[in-house]
Amino acid sequence: MALEFPSDTALYVNSTGSAQQFMAGEWLLVAPVYSPELKRDGIYFPSGADWFDWWSGELMTKAGATNGTTLDSYDAPLDILPLFVRSGAIIPLWPADNYFDETLHDSLSLDIWPQGDSSFVLYEDDGITRAALDPDPEFATTAITSRAPADFLTTTDAAENVTLTVFAVQGKFDGQLDARTWRLNVRAKVAPSNVLLNGEAMYAAPSEISLEASASGWFYDEDLQTGLLMVKTPVMTKDEAFTVTLGYGSSFEKVLAAECNSADHNVYIPAAQQFVMNSAGQIVSQLYVTEMCLSFGDDNDPDSGTPECVLQPCSQCSKCVFVHDDNGQLKSGGSCIDQDATVQRLISYPCHEASAPGNQAWTFDARTLNLMNQQTGACATAASG
């Protein structure tokens, strides 16, 4: 535990309870019962995260606690292994098999506990041979990200969307699926107003049975694990990225300003910062298979009071045609794309004087496909990236 949480000095002190627990990967804390009793004492939850019971979904620590927490008298009958999950978790689950290739790994489930920004890289190979270790290794990775409010799992007043993105598969191996269905099991204390797949509304099933019978859609069960949102995608090819947006705020994904080609964007999700202006004057994100365009949204930015920049389906948006002037301004009517430097967001704002465009001057980089602000050096970035 001390190796996983080196900044939590409480783990440096010898303790029977915390010495008999361990992390299974980044997200799961396992606390086996080490005495004849049917209760477990001394379970220690490190600081810096909220921790939840895997089985019930119950919050086990004080929301937002800055210090570690010790739990005694946890009920642990013979059929219950004390297992806890850290906020922000993204945990892939295959269908239950007796051996590796008993069935196709379709669909693939993601158990998601969204809070703040988190990511996971799914690794897959043929599961049988040593081909993944060859000089020309055969394996595949899939980057998955979650972006949610910092208190999403502990509040019933969520006011911002949750975005969950599965990126295109990188690499190949023998027996790899060309396409699969994804099941996203998302913990949420309240139901979203809608669920969008690449900006398109998904079917809101009236029951879990109806969801199972449908090709895709979503259903929210408020009684299961203190609130569980079940999302079922249509069959998605391995070469297409997709974003599921849970509607708690704006219906569309925001466009942010972030450091250009940072390590995360450059290695895993470069398309989050890639935009191309087409012949119609639309600024098209390269993140999605479905064309999504940078647009002035319907909701106002809380700081400027002017419309936010969002990504909307190019076929539906009405405020997504721009003129790129020689001074770098991207104009639509009398408004320009502006970088709100205080909060690192892109917004609509009345155009500055042409001689002094300031933070409204933008450059399209033909090599990287970045849309870069000439004044700040930041790049337009899809929020899910």
Side-chain angles (χ1 to χ4, degrees), residues 36 48 87 170 205 331:
S87 56
Q170 305 295 316
K331 293 182 176 180

Side-chain angles (χ1 to χ4, degrees), residues 63-134:
T66 56
N67 297 317
T69 303
T70 299
L71 174 68
D72 292 325
S73 300
Y74 178 84
D75 287 329
L78 292 177
D79 61 337
I80 295 293
L81 170 69
L83 181 64
F84 308 93
V85 61
R86 184 181 185 181
S87 56
I90 302 172
I91 301 171
L93 297 171
W94 278 336
D97 287 342
N98 292 306
Y99 51 90
F100 178 79
D101 59 348
E102 180 181 13
T103 62
L104 292 175
H105 297 149
D106 180 25
S107 59
L108 192 147
S109 297
L110 297 175
D111 264 42
I112 303 175
W113 304 69
Q115 189 145 288
D117 293 349
S118 58
S119 61
F120 180 81
V121 178
L122 172 68
Y123 171 93
E124 297 176 281
D125 59 31
D126 66 20
I128 301 171
T129 73
R130 297 175 62 83
L133 304 177
D134 290 345

Side-chain angles (χ1 to χ4, degrees), residues 40-64:
R40 175 61 153 89
D41 291 332
I43 302 172
Y44 182 76
F45 299 105
S47 58
D50 293 322
W51 294 88
F52 299 83
D53 188 311
W54 171 265
W55 308 109
S56 69
E58 179 186 358
L59 176 65
M60 306 307 295
T61 54
K62 183 178 179 180

Side-chain angles (χ1 to χ4, degrees), residues 143-216:
I144 305 163
T145 64
S146 168
R147 172 161 286 177
D151 61 351
F152 178 75
L153 291 171
T154 58
T155 183
T156 57
D157 298 321
E160 295 184 24
N161 292 343
V162 174
T163 54
L164 310 169
T165 301
V166 177
F167 294 90
V169 177
Q170 305 295 316
K172 61 181 181 179
F173 59 89
D174 188 43
Q176 181 180 19
L177 294 177
D178 290 326
R180 63 167 34 127
T181 298
W182 294 78
R183 307 294 293 263
L184 280 58
N185 298 315
V186 186
R187 274 63 183 182
K189 293 180 74 68
V190 294
S193 59
N194 55 39
V195 176
L196 307 178
L197 175 62
N198 290 342
E200 301 282 351
M202 299 188 74
Y203 166 61
S207 67
E208 187 175 355
I209 293 175
S210 177
L211 177 63
E212 290 300 321
S214 303
S216 62

Side-chain angles (χ1 to χ4, degrees), residues 296 306 323-325 327-331 334-340 347-354 356-363 371-376:
F296 294 154
T306 59
V323 174
H324 195 194
D325 283 353
N327 67 351
Q329 287 178 310
L330 285 161
K331 293 182 176 180
S335 297
C336 284
I337 297 176
D338 183 292
Q339 180 186 336
D340 187 332
I347 59 173
S348 165
Y349 203 77
C351 293
H352 298 166
E353 291 293 332
N359 62 349
Q360 294 181 347
W362 299 88
T363 298
L371 175 56
M372 186 177 70
N373 189 284
Q374 295 178 17
Q375 184 180 74
T376 66

Side-chain angles (χ1 to χ4, degrees), residues 233-245:
T233 74
V235 175
M236 311 297 290
T237 70
K238 64 182 177 62
D239 299 319
E240 60 182 318
F242 65 89
T243 290
V244 173
T245 303

